[in-house]
Amino acid sequence: MLAPISWRVPPRHYGPWELVVSRLTEGLVARGVDVTLFATADSVTSARLEAVCPRPLAEDPTLDAKVWEGLHIGNAFERSRDADILHNHYDFLPLTYSGLVKTPIVMTIHGFSSTKILPVYERYAKRVRYVAISAADRAPRLPYAATIHHGIPFEEYPLGRGEGGYLLSFGRIHPDKGTAEAIDVARHAGLPLVIAGIVHDEAYFAREIAPHVDGERVRYVGSVDRTAGATLLGGAVALVHLVNFAEPFGLAMVEAMATGTPVIATPRGSVPEVVDDGVTGVIVRDPAEAATAVPRAAMLDRAAVRAQACVRFSRERMVDEYLDLYRKILAGEA
Amino acid sequence: MLAPISWRVPPRHYGPWELVVSRLTEGLVARGVDVTLFATADSVTSARLEAVCPRPLAEDPTLDAKVWEGLHIGNAFERSRDADILHNHYDFLPLTYSGLVKTPIVMTIHGFSSTKILPVYERYAKRVRYVAISAADRAPRLPYAATIHHGIPFEEYPLGRGEGGYLLSFGRIHPDKGTAEAIDVARHAGLPLVIAGIVHDEAYFAREIAPHVDGERVRYVGSVDRTAGATLLGGAVALVHLVNFAEPFGLAMVEAMATGTPVIATPRGSVPEVVDDGVTGVIVRDPAEAATAVPRAAMLDRAAVRAQACVRFSRERMVDEYLDLYRKILAGEA
């Protein structure tokens, strides 16, 4: 399992790719699979940890990213001779090493940062089995072995009662994520808004978010760890998720649904695949419509929200699907 | 032969690493060696050219550097199975692919951009045979198979008579290269100065260089191609080469000497290895002393300057030394 090294596995707070790697790895180990995890040296796992990079690149600016990503990827490929499958979660650079080993390679494509990186995926399309994390994120020109939605450990997300009485914006603070739109929705709905997440765009935060933060109608609680996040999610009336980009997979939506909190979202990126409209949330045409959807979302049965999410987005389902893919590859069927 | 792809091989004007690759490659082909050159698609060579990157990265900002460097390096390693030797000139990233192939690998280290890249060299020190381009550029902790000074094709650098009556600053314009110091030296020596090279530091150029350029006492002629460069070098009374850093190898000094033009330099980096003090130039303690050295430099026998440079820095000598190293590696002696 080749993880990114921007953050620890699992991440201390932010780090969605590393979080998925952790959940898949722990799920596989729980099934008795022999897994070696290539990640930062401070990672925590029940798999065998192999590390060359001492600390997360995003937490230590003295580390030269190109140096450590090269060493990290090279090390994983050197050791891959002993593996049945090499599973890459580290963006596109490892593809360029893939022609040099015989080990079958699976790659979960966590997102395309730019269309400029497509030539690498095209070049190695016959060598590597690609997995999309949503139908929405499939690049039309690439062949995929499977689409596997992320799954989460539901035991870490207890059912909440929405007792906080607030709407929630949960995720990095960036125009893409629609944080400012969530502030509008809360104002129109007459409910307080809690914002949680790392500031990804400082200028946007200063201009569009900070002036509205008054500690009452709009509260900013920073980036929270997963335990605090689960509590925060469970206390919300609804998650307001008005992304302004084709998000590859909205993990925050699944986490909210796990705690019984319904999602209000526009049908962009993975939203139509993740939210069951009228069951686990309300899909609205545009942000202007979102405020009017709050009462409908609040009336959804929270236990039913969680139950449906559990059927579709449990870690066990994700692990099953990856195991199935691994078996097909080893049997020469994928 | 794995070349960098920042510039074409050979470069159109600037591109010292690519220039050395071109000269070595053409020299090897001339000796009957079967060479495949991995370089940009617009490269020009008598070797077999293998290219995936369409254009030089430094000439086309729409190309994503990480994408094309990965594709370029991966391609070279994939094809290296058919080679007796893979010779890397592409900085440190290819080292991280080196554990995945069996082909012997030679790497010419053209310079260390930072001490932060040393961990990569240390990790692959047993796998790859390193070549230093000067004794001054050797990293103390690394093992080297050889130190091989660059050589140039003397037929492209005819003997000049210094008839231009100017001092010359030749190289990228940057504080490291001492362009401002050269202006001072020319003023004190009472001679005009010609400056040729790319502007590498815009602020430095605007602040320290441009105000002195009057088209007469100080002339800036931009970046020149190699033919014009050879003429410019041959017309100079002396090359003023007052670098403010430990330059790994001063190619401009060798090119000047080839045209008979002596070098005035401080003993930093490769200078003491390249300049034979009193024969091919004058080594001074500091820039302040450089102006007083101009008459001494001007009195050196230009034919003797060229003759001595030809003994030490011909392309043939460089090719001999690399062939010798290749043979030793194939015989298991290096």
Side-chain angles (χ1 to χ4, degrees), chain A residues 111-118 121, chain B residues 64:
Chain A
F112 297 97
S113 55
S114 153
T115 56
K116 289 185 180 181
I117 70 177
L118 281 171
Y121 292 92
Chain B
D64 182 302

Side-chain angles (χ1 to χ4, degrees), chain B residues 99-115:
Chain B
L100 306 174
V101 300
K102 292 201 164 58
T103 317
I105 300 177
V106 172
M107 171 170 185
T108 299
I109 304 178
H110 286 267
F112 296 97
S113 55
S114 154
T115 56

Side-chain angles (χ1 to χ4, degrees), chain B residues 90-152:
Chain B
Y90 197 113
D91 215 348
F92 66 83
L93 192 58
L95 294 175
T96 69
Y97 297 66
S98 67
L100 306 174
V101 300
K102 292 201 164 58
T103 317
I105 300 177
V106 172
M107 171 170 185
T108 299
I109 304 178
H110 286 267
F112 296 97
S113 55
S114 154
T115 56
K116 289 184 180 180
I117 70 177
L118 281 171
V120 191
Y121 292 93
E122 287 167 3
R123 184 172 170 96
Y124 292 99
K126 285 186 178 147
R127 170 67 184 94
V128 176
R129 297 289 167 268
Y130 297 136
V131 175
I133 62 172
S134 68
D137 201 48
R138 280 184 175 232
R141 287 183 300 188
L142 294 183
Y144 287 89
T147 296
I148 303 182
H149 287 141
H150 295 330
I152 66 172

Side-chain angles (χ1 to χ4, degrees), chain B:
Chain B
M1 200 68 66
L2 175 55
I5 53 175
S6 293
W7 307 99
R8 193 187 74 169
V9 174
R12 292 183 170 82
H13 53 110
Y14 181 76
W17 298 15
E18 289 82 355
L19 184 56
V20 170
V21 172
S22 176
R23 286 167 174 170
L24 176 58
T25 299
E26 301 310 311
L28 289 168
V29 171
R31 300 290 182 89
V33 179
D34 179 8
V35 183
T36 302
L37 173 66
F38 294 86
T40 58
D42 58 349
S43 291
V44 179
T45 180
S46 55
R48 188 182 310 104
L49 178 65
E50 284 282 354
V52 289
C53 183
R55 288 172 299 282
L57 299 179
E59 292 175 16
D60 185 348
T62 70
L63 296 174
D64 182 302
K66 191 171 175 177
V67 162
W68 292 103
E69 78 175 342
L71 289 174
H72 172 65
I73 296 169
N75 183 52
F77 275 83
E78 288 161 19
R79 308 293 187 97
S80 74
R81 290 191 193 94
D82 309 324
D84 296 306
I85 299 260
L86 171 62
H87 190 156
N88 170 37
H89 295 265
Y90 197 113
D91 215 348
F92 66 83
L93 192 58
L95 294 175
T96 69
Y97 297 66
S98 67
L100 306 174
V101 300
K102 292 201 164 58
T103 317
I105 300 177
V106 172
M107 171 170 185
T108 299
I109 304 178
H110 286 267
F112 296 97
S113 55
S114 154
T115 56
K116 289 184 180 180
I117 70 177
L118 281 171
V120 191
Y121 292 93
E122 287 167 3
R123 184 172 170 96
Y124 292 99
K126 285 186 178 147
R127 170 67 184 94
V128 176
R129 297 289 167 268
Y130 297 136
V131 175
I133 62 172
S134 68
D137 201 48
R138 280 184 175 232
R141 287 183 300 188
L142 294 183
Y144 287 89
T147 296
I148 303 182
H149 287 141
H150 295 330
I152 66 172
F154 270 63
E155 66 277 16
E156 293 179 14
Y157 294 88
L159 180 65
R161 291 180 295 113
E163 70 283 2
Y166 52 81
L167 297 176
L168 181 64
S169 171
F170 197 84
R172 62 193 168 85
I173 296 170
H174 187 280
D176 277 354
K177 287 288 202 171
T179 324
E181 285 82 348
I183 293 174
D184 269 353
V185 168
R187 191 175 55 237
H188 283 108
L191 286 178
L193 178 74
V194 174
I195 301 170
I198 62 166
V199 176
H200 191 201
D201 182 329
E202 297 277 0
Y204 173 72
F205 182 76
R207 195 179 61 239
E208 312 254 351
I209 310 302
H212 299 284
V213 174
D214 61 6
E216 194 169 332
R217 302 313 294 169
V218 179
R219 282 197 288 143
Y220 174 53
V221 298
S223 183
V224 296
D225 67 22
R226 276 181 300 289
T227 308
T231 306
L232 201 58
L233 286 159
V237 173
L239 178 77
V240 183
H241 197 77
L242 304 171
V243 293
N244 290 308
F245 77 124
E247 187 175 49
F249 189 87
L251 209 49
M253 295 191 287
V254 172
E255 293 171 341
M257 285 151 38
T259 69
T261 296
V263 176
I264 298 171
T266 42
R268 298 209 56 175
S270 67
V271 166
E273 297 168 63
V274 171
V275 177
D276 291 298
D277 191 24
V279 180
T280 58
V282 180
I283 298 179
V284 295
R285 274 176 308 183
D286 51 47
E289 207 184 281
T292 66
V294 172
R296 263 189 297 153
M299 284 166 59
L300 293 173
D301 176 352
R302 297 183 65 100
V305 170
R306 176 174 168 89
Q308 172 68 358
C310 193
V311 168
R312 299 198 49 213
F313 301 107
S314 71
R315 183 176 73 182
E316 285 61 41
R317 192 268 312 147
M318 173 174 71
V319 170
D320 283 339
E321 291 186 13
Y322 276 111
L323 279 173
D324 188 47
L325 175 62
Y326 299 157
R327 283 191 198 104
K328 279 186 180 150
I329 289 170
L330 293 175
E333 296 162 10

